[in-house]
PDB file of all heavy atoms in Angstrom:
ATOM      1  N   LEU C  90     -73.273 -18.729  16.447  1.00 98.00           N
ATOM      2  CA  LEU C  90     -72.330 -19.062  17.524  1.00 98.00           C
ATOM      3  C   LEU C  90     -73.100 -19.412  18.793  1.00 98.00           C
ATOM      4  O   LEU C  90     -72.750 -20.361  19.511  1.00 98.00           O
ATOM      5  CB  LEU C  90     -71.410 -17.864  17.784  1.00 98.00           C
ATOM      6  CG  LEU C  90     -70.478 -18.003  18.990  1.00 98.00           C
ATOM      7  CD1 LEU C  90     -69.503 -19.159  18.793  1.00 98.00           C
ATOM      8  CD2 LEU C  90     -69.722 -16.700  19.236  1.00 98.00           C
ATOM      9  N   THR C  94     -73.325 -22.753  20.891  1.00 98.00           N
ATOM     10  CA  THR C  94     -72.974 -22.773  22.311  1.00 98.00           C
ATOM     11  C   THR C  94     -73.906 -23.695  23.104  1.00 98.00           C
ATOM     12  O   THR C  94     -73.450 -24.499  23.921  1.00 98.00           O
ATOM     13  CB  THR C  94     -73.050 -21.338  22.872  1.00 98.00           C
ATOM     14  OG1 THR C  94     -72.172 -20.514  22.107  1.00 98.00           O
ATOM     15  CG2 THR C  94     -72.642 -21.292  24.334  1.00 98.00           C
ATOM     16  N   LEU C  97     -73.109 -27.280  22.222  1.00 97.00           N
ATOM     17  CA  LEU C  97     -71.814 -27.788  22.672  1.00 97.00           C
ATOM     18  C   LEU C  97     -71.713 -27.874  24.191  1.00 97.00           C
ATOM     19  O   LEU C  97     -71.015 -28.723  24.725  1.00 97.00           O
ATOM     20  CB  LEU C  97     -70.682 -26.898  22.141  1.00 97.00           C
ATOM     21  CG  LEU C  97     -70.518 -26.896  20.618  1.00 97.00           C
ATOM     22  CD1 LEU C  97     -69.512 -25.838  20.203  1.00 97.00           C
ATOM     23  CD2 LEU C  97     -70.081 -28.265  20.129  1.00 97.00           C
ATOM     24  N   PHE C  98     -72.388 -26.965  24.874  1.00 97.00           N
ATOM     25  CA  PHE C  98     -72.258 -26.916  26.337  1.00 97.00           C
ATOM     26  C   PHE C  98     -73.436 -27.592  27.048  1.00 97.00           C
ATOM     27  O   PHE C  98     -73.364 -27.847  28.240  1.00 97.00           O
ATOM     28  CB  PHE C  98     -72.169 -25.467  26.829  1.00 97.00           C
ATOM     29  CG  PHE C  98     -70.928 -24.717  26.398  1.00 97.00           C
ATOM     30  CD1 PHE C  98     -70.801 -23.356  26.660  1.00 97.00           C
ATOM     31  CD2 PHE C  98     -69.879 -25.360  25.760  1.00 97.00           C
ATOM     32  CE1 PHE C  98     -69.665 -22.656  26.285  1.00 97.00           C
ATOM     33  CE2 PHE C  98     -68.745 -24.662  25.375  1.00 97.00           C
ATOM     34  CZ  PHE C  98     -68.644 -23.301  25.633  1.00 97.00           C
ATOM     35  N   LEU C 218     -66.044 -25.588  27.732  1.00 93.00           N
ATOM     36  CA  LEU C 218     -64.628 -25.963  27.574  1.00 93.00           C
ATOM     37  C   LEU C 218     -64.263 -27.228  28.340  1.00 93.00           C
ATOM     38  O   LEU C 218     -63.172 -27.368  28.861  1.00 93.00           O
ATOM     39  CB  LEU C 218     -63.720 -24.802  28.028  1.00 93.00           C
ATOM     40  CG  LEU C 218     -64.050 -23.418  27.449  1.00 93.00           C
ATOM     41  CD1 LEU C 218     -62.998 -22.411  27.881  1.00 93.00           C
ATOM     42  CD2 LEU C 218     -64.169 -23.444  25.948  1.00 93.00           C
ATOM     43  N   ARG C 222     -64.852 -31.470  22.119  1.00 97.00           N
ATOM     44  CA  ARG C 222     -65.979 -30.959  21.340  1.00 97.00           C
ATOM     45  C   ARG C 222     -66.509 -29.652  21.921  1.00 97.00           C
ATOM     46  O   ARG C 222     -66.783 -28.709  21.181  1.00 97.00           O
ATOM     47  CB  ARG C 222     -67.098 -31.999  21.285  1.00 97.00           C
ATOM     48  CG  ARG C 222     -68.351 -31.464  20.583  1.00 97.00           C
ATOM     49  CD  ARG C 222     -69.333 -32.564  20.246  1.00 97.00           C
ATOM     50  NE  ARG C 222     -70.615 -32.049  19.807  1.00 97.00           N
ATOM     51  CZ  ARG C 222     -70.897 -31.639  18.568  1.00 97.00           C
ATOM     52  NH1 ARG C 222     -69.948 -31.692  17.657  1.00 97.00           N
ATOM     53  NH2 ARG C 222     -72.097 -31.187  18.244  1.00 97.00           N
ATOM     54  N   SER C 223     -66.644 -29.590  23.232  1.00 97.00           N
ATOM     55  CA  SER C 223     -67.192 -28.337  23.773  1.00 97.00           C
ATOM     56  C   SER C 223     -66.183 -27.205  23.551  1.00 97.00           C
ATOM     57  O   SER C 223     -66.558 -26.037  23.478  1.00 97.00           O
ATOM     58  CB  SER C 223     -67.578 -28.506  25.246  1.00 97.00           C
ATOM     59  OG  SER C 223     -66.598 -28.016  26.109  1.00 97.00           O
ATOM     60  N   CYS C 224     -64.912 -27.579  23.405  1.00 97.00           N
ATOM     61  CA  CYS C 224     -63.879 -26.568  23.113  1.00 97.00           C
ATOM     62  C   CYS C 224     -63.928 -26.080  21.665  1.00 97.00           C
ATOM     63  O   CYS C 224     -63.096 -25.272  21.250  1.00 97.00           O
ATOM     64  CB  CYS C 224     -62.498 -27.110  23.436  1.00 97.00           C
ATOM     65  SG  CYS C 224     -62.200 -27.286  25.204  1.00 97.00           S
ATOM     66  N   LEU C 225     -64.870 -26.581  20.880  1.00 98.00           N
ATOM     67  CA  LEU C 225     -65.038 -26.025  19.534  1.00 98.00           C
ATOM     68  C   LEU C 225     -65.638 -24.617  19.589  1.00 98.00           C
ATOM     69  O   LEU C 225     -65.477 -23.839  18.645  1.00 98.00           O
ATOM     70  CB  LEU C 225     -65.976 -26.918  18.701  1.00 98.00           C
ATOM     71  CG  LEU C 225     -65.372 -28.219  18.165  1.00 98.00           C
ATOM     72  CD1 LEU C 225     -66.435 -28.970  17.377  1.00 98.00           C
ATOM     73  CD2 LEU C 225     -64.143 -27.937  17.301  1.00 98.00           C
ATOM     74  N   ARG C 226     -66.338 -24.323  20.646  1.00 98.00           N
ATOM     75  CA  ARG C 226     -67.050 -23.046  20.730  1.00 98.00           C
ATOM     76  C   ARG C 226     -66.137 -21.851  20.470  1.00 98.00           C
ATOM     77  O   ARG C 226     -66.420 -21.037  19.586  1.00 98.00           O
ATOM     78  CB  ARG C 226     -67.734 -22.951  22.091  1.00 98.00           C
ATOM     79  CG  ARG C 226     -68.862 -21.958  22.149  1.00 98.00           C
ATOM     80  CD  ARG C 226     -68.375 -20.596  22.551  1.00 98.00           C
ATOM     81  NE  ARG C 226     -69.493 -19.660  22.696  1.00 98.00           N
ATOM     82  CZ  ARG C 226     -69.327 -18.356  22.795  1.00 98.00           C
ATOM     83  NH1 ARG C 226     -68.120 -17.835  22.773  1.00 98.00           N
ATOM     84  NH2 ARG C 226     -70.369 -17.569  22.917  1.00 98.00           N
ATOM     85  N   PRO C 227     -65.018 -21.705  21.194  1.00 98.00           N
ATOM     86  CA  PRO C 227     -64.156 -20.549  20.901  1.00 98.00           C
ATOM     87  C   PRO C 227     -63.588 -20.589  19.483  1.00 98.00           C
ATOM     88  O   PRO C 227     -63.354 -19.545  18.888  1.00 98.00           O
ATOM     89  CB  PRO C 227     -63.048 -20.648  21.954  1.00 98.00           C
ATOM     90  CG  PRO C 227     -63.123 -22.038  22.505  1.00 98.00           C
ATOM     91  CD  PRO C 227     -64.545 -22.462  22.380  1.00 98.00           C
ATOM     92  N   LEU C 228     -63.407 -21.769  18.940  1.00 98.00           N
ATOM     93  CA  LEU C 228     -62.870 -21.851  17.573  1.00 98.00           C
ATOM     94  C   LEU C 228     -63.898 -21.352  16.567  1.00 98.00           C
ATOM     95  O   LEU C 228     -63.549 -20.684  15.589  1.00 98.00           O
ATOM     96  CB  LEU C 228     -62.441 -23.280  17.253  1.00 98.00           C
ATOM     97  CG  LEU C 228     -61.337 -23.832  18.166  1.00 98.00           C
ATOM     98  CD1 LEU C 228     -60.874 -25.181  17.654  1.00 98.00           C
ATOM     99  CD2 LEU C 228     -60.182 -22.854  18.271  1.00 98.00           C
ATOM    100  N   ILE C 229     -65.154 -21.704  16.808  1.00 98.00           N
ATOM    101  CA  ILE C 229     -66.201 -21.174  15.930  1.00 98.00           C
ATOM    102  C   ILE C 229     -66.215 -19.650  16.020  1.00 98.00           C
ATOM    103  O   ILE C 229     -66.297 -18.950  15.008  1.00 98.00           O
ATOM    104  CB  ILE C 229     -67.569 -21.780  16.305  1.00 98.00           C
ATOM    105  CG1 ILE C 229     -67.557 -23.294  16.040  1.00 98.00           C
ATOM    106  CG2 ILE C 229     -68.692 -21.108  15.523  1.00 98.00           C
ATOM    107  CD1 ILE C 229     -68.780 -24.030  16.592  1.00 98.00           C
ATOM    108  N   ALA C 230     -66.104 -19.139  17.233  1.00 98.00           N
ATOM    109  CA  ALA C 230     -66.081 -17.683  17.404  1.00 98.00           C
ATOM    110  C   ALA C 230     -64.914 -17.068  16.628  1.00 98.00           C
ATOM    111  O   ALA C 230     -65.076 -16.071  15.913  1.00 98.00           O
ATOM    112  CB  ALA C 230     -65.966 -17.331  18.887  1.00 98.00           C
ATOM    113  N   GLN C 231     -63.742 -17.675  16.749  1.00 98.00           N
ATOM    114  CA  GLN C 231     -62.565 -17.131  16.073  1.00 98.00           C
ATOM    115  C   GLN C 231     -62.718 -17.200  14.554  1.00 98.00           C
ATOM    116  O   GLN C 231     -62.284 -16.299  13.840  1.00 98.00           O
ATOM    117  CB  GLN C 231     -61.301 -17.899  16.508  1.00 98.00           C
ATOM    118  CG  GLN C 231     -60.939 -17.726  17.990  1.00 98.00           C
ATOM    119  CD  GLN C 231     -60.290 -16.381  18.275  1.00 98.00           C
ATOM    120  OE1 GLN C 231     -59.414 -15.940  17.533  1.00 98.00           O
ATOM    121  NE2 GLN C 231     -60.730 -15.696  19.320  1.00 98.00           N
ATOM    122  N   LEU C 232     -63.327 -18.270  14.072  1.00 98.00           N
ATOM    123  CA  LEU C 232     -63.463 -18.396  12.619  1.00 98.00           C
ATOM    124  C   LEU C 232     -64.559 -17.467  12.090  1.00 98.00           C
ATOM    125  O   LEU C 232     -64.485 -16.992  10.953  1.00 98.00           O
ATOM    126  CB  LEU C 232     -63.724 -19.852  12.228  1.00 98.00           C
ATOM    127  CG  LEU C 232     -63.621 -20.165  10.735  1.00 98.00           C
ATOM    128  CD1 LEU C 232     -62.315 -19.658  10.121  1.00 98.00           C
ATOM    129  CD2 LEU C 232     -63.758 -21.660  10.497  1.00 98.00           C
ATOM    130  N   ILE C 233     -65.538 -17.201  12.906  1.00 98.00           N
ATOM    131  CA  ILE C 233     -66.522 -16.168  12.539  1.00 98.00           C
ATOM    132  C   ILE C 233     -65.832 -14.823  12.399  1.00 98.00           C
ATOM    133  O   ILE C 233     -65.999 -14.111  11.397  1.00 98.00           O
ATOM    134  CB  ILE C 233     -67.652 -16.108  13.588  1.00 98.00           C
ATOM    135  CG1 ILE C 233     -68.619 -17.277  13.379  1.00 98.00           C
ATOM    136  CG2 ILE C 233     -68.387 -14.772  13.522  1.00 98.00           C
ATOM    137  CD1 ILE C 233     -69.666 -17.402  14.478  1.00 98.00           C
ATOM    138  N   LEU C 234     -65.033 -14.463  13.392  1.00 98.00           N
ATOM    139  CA  LEU C 234     -64.297 -13.195  13.314  1.00 98.00           C
ATOM    140  C   LEU C 234     -63.467 -13.141  12.040  1.00 98.00           C
ATOM    141  O   LEU C 234     -63.448 -12.145  11.323  1.00 98.00           O
ATOM    142  CB  LEU C 234     -63.372 -13.048  14.530  1.00 98.00           C
ATOM    143  CG  LEU C 234     -64.049 -12.914  15.902  1.00 98.00           C
ATOM    144  CD1 LEU C 234     -63.017 -12.969  17.016  1.00 98.00           C
ATOM    145  CD2 LEU C 234     -64.838 -11.612  15.990  1.00 98.00           C
ATOM    146  N   ARG C 314     -58.865 -31.281  17.444  1.00 98.00           N
ATOM    147  CA  ARG C 314     -59.273 -29.942  17.867  1.00 98.00           C
ATOM    148  C   ARG C 314     -58.078 -28.995  17.821  1.00 98.00           C
ATOM    149  O   ARG C 314     -58.191 -27.845  17.408  1.00 98.00           O
ATOM    150  CB  ARG C 314     -59.842 -30.036  19.289  1.00 98.00           C
ATOM    151  CG  ARG C 314     -60.601 -28.823  19.781  1.00 98.00           C
ATOM    152  CD  ARG C 314     -59.683 -27.843  20.470  1.00 98.00           C
ATOM    153  NE  ARG C 314     -60.410 -26.662  20.921  1.00 98.00           N
ATOM    154  CZ  ARG C 314     -59.804 -25.528  21.253  1.00 98.00           C
ATOM    155  NH1 ARG C 314     -58.497 -25.407  21.182  1.00 98.00           N
ATOM    156  NH2 ARG C 314     -60.512 -24.496  21.653  1.00 98.00           N
ATOM    157  N   ILE C 321     -57.241 -22.246  12.234  1.00 98.00           N
ATOM    158  CA  ILE C 321     -58.057 -21.048  12.406  1.00 98.00           C
ATOM    159  C   ILE C 321     -57.190 -19.866  12.823  1.00 98.00           C
ATOM    160  O   ILE C 321     -57.371 -18.735  12.335  1.00 98.00           O
ATOM    161  CB  ILE C 321     -59.198 -21.318  13.417  1.00 98.00           C
ATOM    162  CG1 ILE C 321     -60.218 -22.279  12.796  1.00 98.00           C
ATOM    163  CG2 ILE C 321     -59.863 -20.018  13.854  1.00 98.00           C
ATOM    164  CD1 ILE C 321     -61.314 -22.729  13.748  1.00 98.00           C
ATOM    165  N   HIS C 367     -60.884  -7.900  19.288  1.00 96.00           N
ATOM    166  CA  HIS C 367     -61.615  -8.861  20.124  1.00 96.00           C
ATOM    167  C   HIS C 367     -60.685  -9.572  21.094  1.00 96.00           C
ATOM    168  O   HIS C 367     -60.990  -9.722  22.278  1.00 96.00           O
ATOM    169  CB  HIS C 367     -62.322  -9.857  19.195  1.00 96.00           C
ATOM    170  CG  HIS C 367     -63.046 -10.939  19.914  1.00 96.00           C
ATOM    171  ND1 HIS C 367     -62.445 -12.108  20.316  1.00 96.00           N
ATOM    172  CD2 HIS C 367     -64.337 -11.030  20.315  1.00 96.00           C
ATOM    173  CE1 HIS C 367     -63.343 -12.867  20.919  1.00 96.00           C
ATOM    174  NE2 HIS C 367     -64.494 -12.241  20.926  1.00 96.00           N
ATOM    175  N   LYS C 373     -52.253 -14.460  19.599  1.00 98.00           N
ATOM    176  CA  LYS C 373     -52.592 -15.482  18.593  1.00 98.00           C
ATOM    177  C   LYS C 373     -51.295 -15.932  17.893  1.00 98.00           C
ATOM    178  O   LYS C 373     -51.080 -17.119  17.664  1.00 98.00           O
ATOM    179  CB  LYS C 373     -53.587 -14.865  17.608  1.00 98.00           C
ATOM    180  CG  LYS C 373     -54.403 -15.811  16.793  1.00 98.00           C
ATOM    181  CD  LYS C 373     -55.152 -16.849  17.565  1.00 98.00           C
ATOM    182  CE  LYS C 373     -56.277 -16.326  18.436  1.00 98.00           C
ATOM    183  NZ  LYS C 373     -56.797 -17.397  19.334  1.00 98.00           N
ATOM    184  N   PRO C 389     -56.949 -24.614  25.137  1.00 97.00           N
ATOM    185  CA  PRO C 389     -58.309 -24.097  24.948  1.00 97.00           C
ATOM    186  C   PRO C 389     -58.689 -23.067  26.012  1.00 97.00           C
ATOM    187  O   PRO C 389     -58.402 -23.254  27.205  1.00 97.00           O
ATOM    188  CB  PRO C 389     -59.182 -25.360  25.084  1.00 97.00           C
ATOM    189  CG  PRO C 389     -58.280 -26.480  24.705  1.00 97.00           C
ATOM    190  CD  PRO C 389     -56.934 -26.084  25.226  1.00 97.00           C
ATOM    191  N   SER C 390     -59.290 -22.012  25.559  1.00 95.00           N
ATOM    192  CA  SER C 390     -59.837 -20.978  26.436  1.00 95.00           C
ATOM    193  C   SER C 390     -60.946 -20.304  25.639  1.00 95.00           C
ATOM    194  O   SER C 390     -61.201 -20.697  24.505  1.00 95.00           O
ATOM    195  CB  SER C 390     -58.770 -19.953  26.808  1.00 95.00           C
ATOM    196  OG  SER C 390     -58.571 -19.054  25.731  1.00 95.00           O
ATOM    197  N   PHE C 391     -61.563 -19.294  26.191  1.00 95.00           N
ATOM    198  CA  PHE C 391     -62.612 -18.640  25.416  1.00 95.00           C
ATOM    199  C   PHE C 391     -62.058 -17.843  24.230  1.00 95.00           C
ATOM    200  O   PHE C 391     -62.809 -17.315  23.419  1.00 95.00           O
ATOM    201  CB  PHE C 391     -63.477 -17.756  26.310  1.00 95.00           C
ATOM    202  CG  PHE C 391     -64.650 -18.491  26.872  1.00 95.00           C
ATOM    203  CD1 PHE C 391     -64.618 -19.000  28.159  1.00 95.00           C
ATOM    204  CD2 PHE C 391     -65.767 -18.736  26.089  1.00 95.00           C
ATOM    205  CE1 PHE C 391     -65.702 -19.712  28.662  1.00 95.00           C
ATOM    206  CE2 PHE C 391     -66.844 -19.438  26.584  1.00 95.00           C
ATOM    207  CZ  PHE C 391     -66.816 -19.937  27.872  1.00 95.00           C
ATOM    208  N   TYR C 392     -60.738 -17.784  24.120  1.00 95.00           N
ATOM    209  CA  TYR C 392     -60.122 -17.028  23.021  1.00 95.00           C
ATOM    210  C   TYR C 392     -59.193 -17.880  22.168  1.00 95.00           C
ATOM    211  O   TYR C 392     -58.518 -17.365  21.295  1.00 95.00           O
ATOM    212  CB  TYR C 392     -59.391 -15.806  23.582  1.00 95.00           C
ATOM    213  CG  TYR C 392     -60.365 -14.884  24.282  1.00 95.00           C
ATOM    214  CD1 TYR C 392     -60.615 -15.000  25.646  1.00 95.00           C
ATOM    215  CD2 TYR C 392     -61.090 -13.961  23.553  1.00 95.00           C
ATOM    216  CE1 TYR C 392     -61.555 -14.197  26.259  1.00 95.00           C
ATOM    217  CE2 TYR C 392     -62.025 -13.155  24.167  1.00 95.00           C
ATOM    218  CZ  TYR C 392     -62.258 -13.276  25.528  1.00 95.00           C
ATOM    219  OH  TYR C 392     -63.194 -12.492  26.124  1.00 95.00           O
ATOM    220  N   SER C 393     -59.119 -19.163  22.438  1.00 94.00           N
ATOM    221  CA  SER C 393     -58.157 -20.016  21.724  1.00 94.00           C
ATOM    222  C   SER C 393     -58.762 -21.384  21.423  1.00 94.00           C
ATOM    223  O   SER C 393     -59.485 -21.922  22.250  1.00 94.00           O
ATOM    224  CB  SER C 393     -56.913 -20.224  22.579  1.00 94.00           C
ATOM    225  OG  SER C 393     -56.273 -19.013  22.818  1.00 94.00           O
TER     226      SER C 393
END
Side-chain angles (χ1 to χ4, degrees):
Chain C
L90 173 63
T94 303
L97 295 172
F98 294 173
L218 310 185
R222 175 167 170 82
S223 99
C224 289
L225 284 180
R226 200 270 184 193
L228 299 187
I229 295 170
Q231 295 283 315
L232 191 51
I233 283 173
L234 294 172
R314 193 270 179 197
I321 290 174
H367 177 274
K373 200 53 67 190
S390 78
F391 269 99
Y392 298 92
S393 298

